[in-house]
Amino acid sequence: MSLENISPTRINLIRTKKTLSLAESGRDVLERKRDILLRELRTSIYDAEKAREALLRALTIAYQSLKEANMAKGSETVANVALGSSFEANFLVDFRSIMGVTVPNVEFQSATDPKPDYGFANTNAELDKAFKQFYSLLKLLAELANAEGTTFQISNDVGRTQRRVNALNHVLIPMYRNVTKGIALVLEEKDREEFVRTKRIKRMIKERE
């Protein structure tokens, strides 16, 4: 939009000022949203790092227990037990909103006292211990999925919000300010010309009298 595209009238000046005010208000709202999302993003990044560290620690312990079970019963026996298991992990996947951004909410549906579904003929305490430790990993996986999913979604929306702020700050708002200023200058010039013309007419009338 430029001054050449619109008529420099008072009604267009009022409309352009109103549009400029709305653009500035929208920019302010988007900037507040961006700042809040950035705080949420920092929190989710921190949560993801902590969840990842906790998961890696738990994995190390669980694999050590599995290694001990392999040494005690043999890797082939442990593999056969694993293949015969029909155990299923249940996750509840939902969504929530943070400043209009939809983020995942993953929850592991854990049992109060989880028990393996394999028989005890070819197993031992080390394998049972490994089962419980790997089972505990599922809750950590859900926590990591929550944090990383939230980080991904918020990060994307922060980028979109910042691009909209930039468009308003560097394109739309300057454009409407220039158009408003241009219309105002044209109207001021017309007012001066009208004032001069009115004075001239009054002088001419007075001279004739």
Side-chain angles (χ1 to χ4, degrees), residues 52-64:
R52 196 177 300 111
E53 291 171 359
L55 180 61
L56 288 174
R57 287 194 300 269
L59 272 172
T60 301
I61 296 171
Y63 274 113
Q64 180 59 37

Side-chain angles (χ1 to χ4, degrees), residues 54-202:
L55 180 61
L56 288 174
R57 287 194 300 269
L59 272 172
T60 301
I61 296 171
Y63 274 113
Q64 180 59 37
S65 295
L66 183 60
K67 181 179 179 181
E68 292 173 359
N70 284 333
M71 292 175 61
K73 299 296 294 185
S75 58
E76 184 176 350
T77 299
V78 172
N80 288 333
V81 170
L83 289 173
S85 174
S86 59
F87 179 84
E88 293 184 356
N90 296 316
F91 291 89
L92 177 62
V93 181
D94 200 355
F95 298 93
R96 60 192 179 95
S97 177
I98 299 177
M99 291 297 294
V101 182
T102 301
V103 299
N105 185 30
V106 183
E107 181 181 352
F108 173 56
Q109 304 292 289
S110 60
T112 305
D113 185 22
K115 297 184 183 301
D117 64 346
Y118 51 75
F120 296 99
N122 294 318
T123 62
N124 56 14
E126 287 79 6
L127 187 58
D128 294 344
K129 181 180 177 183
F131 167 82
K132 289 184 178 181
Q133 288 174 341
F134 275 102
Y135 186 87
S136 67
L137 294 177
L138 299 175
K139 184 174 183 295
L140 297 176
L141 281 171
E143 293 174 357
L144 181 59
N146 275 329
E148 290 195 338
T150 299
T151 298
F152 178 79
Q153 293 298 110
I154 291 180
S155 178
N156 282 343
D157 203 84
V158 165
R160 285 193 295 268
T161 302
Q162 185 59 54
R163 286 192 292 272
R164 293 171 67 186
V165 169
N166 290 342
L168 286 167
N169 276 333
H170 303 302
V171 180
L172 293 177
I173 290 176
M175 179 183 68
Y176 283 114
R177 282 176 178 168
N178 288 335
V179 172
T180 300
K181 183 178 179 181
I183 294 176
L185 289 174
V186 171
L187 292 176
E188 287 174 7
E189 182 62 26
K190 287 183 177 180
D191 287 342
R192 280 194 295 269
E193 291 175 356
E194 183 65 26
F195 176 75
V196 171
R197 186 164 48 252
T198 302
K199 281 191 66 176
R200 186 181 299 118
I201 291 173
K202 286 183 178 179

